[in-house]
Amino acid sequence: MKILMASSEAVPYAKTGGLADAVSALSLALAKLGHEVRIVIPRYYGIDRGKLTQLEGAMGVPTGAGEEWSAVYTTDLSGSPAKNPVRVYFIDHENFFGRDGIYGSPSEPDFLDNPRRFAFFSKAVFQLCRKLDWYPDILHAHDWPSALVPVYLKFAERQGGFAKGKSKGFSLTASVLTIHNLGYQGIYNKDNFNYTGLGWDVFYNAGFEDWNMMNLLKAGLYSADKLTTVSPNYAEETKLQAHGFRLDGVLRYRSADYSGILNGIDDGIWNPAKDTHIPKTYSAKEMEGKAKAKEALQKEFGLAPDPNVPLIGMVSRLVEQKGMGALFGPSYGSAWSICRDMNVQMVLLGAGESWCENEVMSLSSRLSNFKARIGYSEKISHLIEAGSDFFLMPSQYEPCGLNQMYSLAYGTLPIVRNTGGLADTVENFNEEKGTGTGFMFNDLNPQAIYNTVGWAVWAYYNRRPQIEAMRLAGMKQSFSWEKSAKKYVDIYEGLVKD
Ligand code: ADP
């Protein structure tokens, strides 16, 4: 099959979250299965043109505000199979994308012209195919920034009128839209609809209308042939009012075409047997490296060097979605009481909302057994995954979540809220049978986190053989992209027209 991924992010070029990892890893896994996969993303300011090849000629993109011109650059995605590389195309438009930041900047968190930028990008996806004379079987869009792609396909590009013997254009192309996080929908003033170049009949027929605003993701959810999200449990949750961010009705309406496929993890990077960021590699058969990692982690953060105290790690965006309110919120969230009452150590790496960064650093200076670092570090995140005994993720909601899967691979027991992909990947500890791979709680409040961490700490001191067995059970699991890619292929195959 010919598959084109249209995305606002893809590693290693542009990343703000799990979307970027998923797009590139899924593309590589599909290419390894023999499919012809290409990716198209905007060329942001930070992407060096010098490392790319420019396609000949400029590309005209018709928009509602007149034609815009773009250059197109290309390269092969690193890690591609030699015989079947994944080609990446970059849509280069200085005004729209030649700035720092993908969706916004510190002073302007959501660029005012985002609807215009991503309407242009989505339309450019089709112009690119025409330029290349390459028409995919599947157009796979991701999240709100490319949600207009399935809308254009259904309401403009797929509409008949193809001369006999000529290319059939997009008449045989089907679309898939994947939700990586339903919390972000691209809701803008509806005046911006003019930039799409679509007629106002489409505004209503495609479901853009959202309380007198324009909702890009909602229109995509109405228009795409199939919808997916990044875990089976999140697919179910998002059909409920509690997790649907007001789009649960649309998702219930589309439920016959909507499913969840768990993201994979890259076991070339997140694998304790190959990890170059930790002092000594290890595996289920030889766990000595894990103890060495714990020692190094305690040293790195200035914690007492004690192999026998349970160490709880966290790597997270410091935002409400990740449950930070219940951990660090006003009047002493649970982190403070946990560290005060229990014989534990805690380390945290993260960045995000300033109230949380401040609170975390203040705790870090007041407590000897809680140490935090604000910032982003690939190396430290590996050390935390390897050196911790437990990994805490009290997420409010979690479409898939990667860190709990990394933790399982590293023999670190996740302590998670029973939600989204966390519920699909972690099995709760059963004291009687000694089974499970982690610890779970249902309600998001300081007391529930405190109690569940307390339970894990109790098990660490009193049920050590069971803890060790759980570590090994987690390490045996596989979250491969190949497995996930095959599930996407099943969906694509159901759509391909001969
Ligand atoms: P989300 O995409 O919602 O932030 P995920 O768990 O799906 O959550 O993915 C987050 C990814 O970003 C993980 O790979 C995590 O390790 C990484 N990450 C988040 N914050 C940091 C940080 N401060 N330093 C290093 N890696 C981080």
Side-chain angles (χ1 to χ4, degrees):
M1 277 180 285
K2 291 194 273 188
I3 301 153
L4 179 59
M5 301 282 174
S7 174
S8 53
E9 301 183 27
V11 287
Y13 313 106
K15 169 170 172 167
T16 66
L19 159 70
D21 295 303
V23 166
S24 296
L26 172 60
S27 299
L28 290 174
L30 289 165
K32 282 176 192 150
L33 294 173
H35 300 285
E36 187 182 346
V37 189
R38 304 186 185 192
I39 299 175
V40 53
I41 64 169
R43 190 208 68 96
Y44 303 103
Y45 177 71
I47 301 172
D48 182 2
R49 289 192 188 103
K51 296 196 176 125
L52 310 172
T53 310
Q54 186 173 3
L55 297 192
E56 222 172 90
M59 184 171 85
V61 181
T63 77
E67 193 166 44
E68 294 285 344
W69 290 86
S70 148
V72 181
Y73 288 81
T74 186
T75 188
D76 285 345
L77 185 62
S78 59
S80 287
K83 286 201 192 112
N84 184 26
V86 173
R87 199 123 258 270
V88 188
Y89 294 94
F90 300 85
I91 304 296
D92 187 43
H93 187 290
E94 195 58 37
N95 260 352
F96 290 151
F97 301 115
R99 45 181 114 162
D100 253 342
I102 297 178
Y103 311 112
S105 61
S107 58
E108 192 185 0
D110 188 18
F111 290 133
L112 271 180
D113 58 349
N114 271 345
R116 188 171 181 192
R117 297 167 78 221
F118 288 105
F120 163 79
F121 170 70
S122 300
K123 190 68 186 176
V125 170
F126 295 91
Q127 296 302 93
L128 173 70
C129 295
R130 273 189 271 273
K131 184 177 173 68
L132 300 172
D133 194 22
W134 182 88
Y135 296 91
D137 299 304
I138 301 293
L139 250 174
H140 192 156
H142 299 265
D143 276 350
W144 73 265
S146 57
L148 278 170
V149 167
V151 182
Y152 281 126
L153 181 67
K154 181 172 175 181
F155 289 93
E157 301 286 355
R158 204 154 56 187
Q159 313 279 328
F162 299 97
K164 240 196 163 141
K166 291 267 191 210
S167 160
K168 292 196 171 65
F170 295 98
S171 60
L172 299 178
T173 301
S175 64
V176 176
L177 174 60
T178 295
I179 301 165
H180 296 260
N181 189 336
L182 195 58
Y184 302 91
Q185 301 178 1
I187 302 175
Y188 297 99
N189 193 309
K190 73 179 180 187
D191 295 350
N192 288 294
F193 184 70
N194 286 321
Y195 293 123
T196 66
L198 294 163
W200 280 92
D201 54 328
V202 178
F203 183 82
Y204 295 101
N205 292 337
F208 281 95
E209 162 67 29
D210 187 4
W211 293 90
N212 217 24
M213 299 285 279
M214 169 178 84
N215 185 323
L216 298 178
L217 182 66
K218 179 166 171 269
L221 296 179
Y222 270 114
S223 305
D225 296 308
K226 290 280 177 192
L227 307 175
T228 71
T229 188
V230 290
S231 71
N233 190 42
Y234 193 61
E236 291 310 310
E237 285 178 349
T238 46
K239 285 185 264 179
L240 305 173
Q241 198 180 11
H243 291 274
F245 287 98
R246 299 184 307 112
L247 293 186
D248 45 297
V250 184
L251 292 170
R252 285 195 297 276
Y253 171 70
R254 296 290 327 260
S255 63
D257 297 312
Y258 178 39
S259 55
I261 300 174
L262 204 62
N263 279 338
I265 62 174
D266 185 338
D267 72 352
I269 298 172
W270 290 98
N271 182 343
K274 295 185 191 162
D275 199 321
T276 52
H277 295 298
I278 59 178
K280 187 176 188 308
T281 57
Y282 64 94
S283 67
K285 285 195 199 95
E286 173 50 73
M287 291 288 276
E288 193 205 332
K290 187 159 178 68
K292 288 245 181 301
K294 183 170 178 177
E295 197 184 319
L297 180 59
Q298 287 168 327
K299 194 164 170 217
E300 177 73 37
F301 279 81
L303 290 162
D306 182 349
N308 296 316
V309 64
L311 177 46
I312 302 170
M314 293 186 73
V315 179
S316 182
R317 290 186 290 127
L318 303 181
V319 296
E320 205 55 44
Q321 184 206 328
K322 300 293 179 182
M324 292 302 142
L327 263 181
F328 302 111
S331 67
Y332 297 136
S334 48
W336 192 83
S337 1
I338 288 166
C339 291
R340 181 196 54 188
D341 298 350
M342 302 178 201
N343 191 15
V344 285
Q345 293 179 335
M346 263 181 110
V347 294
L348 179 149
L349 167 70
E353 288 166 12
S354 51
W355 74 264
C356 192
E357 292 188 354
N358 292 340
E359 183 59 25
V360 158
M361 289 322 289
S362 150
L363 275 190
S364 191
S365 66
R366 281 183 290 149
L367 292 165
S368 61
N369 57 346
F370 178 94
K371 293 292 160 212
R373 193 159 303 171
I374 301 298
Y376 192 94
S377 163
E378 213 53 53
K379 185 176 171 62
I380 304 282
S381 71
H382 281 248
L383 189 60
I384 292 180
E385 285 292 1
S388 302
D389 296 295
F390 301 101
F391 194 94
L392 181 58
M393 283 180 85
S395 306
Q396 202 174 65
Y397 70 96
E398 196 61 79
C400 175
L402 295 172
N403 277 304
Q404 84 282 10
M405 296 196 272
Y406 302 155
S407 298
L408 292 168
Y410 280 73
T412 301
L413 306 181
I415 303 173
V416 300
R417 183 155 174 261
N418 185 6
T419 187
L422 300 173
D424 281 322
T425 49
V426 178
E427 188 194 333
N428 201 8
F429 175 46
N430 180 318
E431 275 176 49
E432 265 109 74
K433 297 192 198 141
T435 56
T437 55
F439 298 82
M440 281 182 147
F441 56 97
N442 290 318
D443 297 330
L444 180 54
N445 56 51
Q447 196 62 43
I449 299 176
Y450 181 92
N451 291 343
T452 313
V453 169
W455 181 31
V457 168
W458 170 84
Y460 182 91
Y461 286 116
N462 299 290
R463 295 288 172 89
R464 204 48 188 273
Q466 290 184 340
I467 290 279
E468 299 308 323
M470 286 165 81
R471 289 194 207 285
L472 300 182
M475 292 174 88
K476 274 206 204 102
Q477 302 202 5
S478 134
F479 298 106
S480 79
W481 268 109
E482 187 189 344
K483 211 155 74 179
S484 309
K486 284 181 175 158
K487 293 187 177 156
Y488 281 101
V489 169
D490 287 343
I491 289 179
Y492 298 157
E493 276 175 346
L495 289 171
V496 170
K497 303 172 189 81
D498 302 321

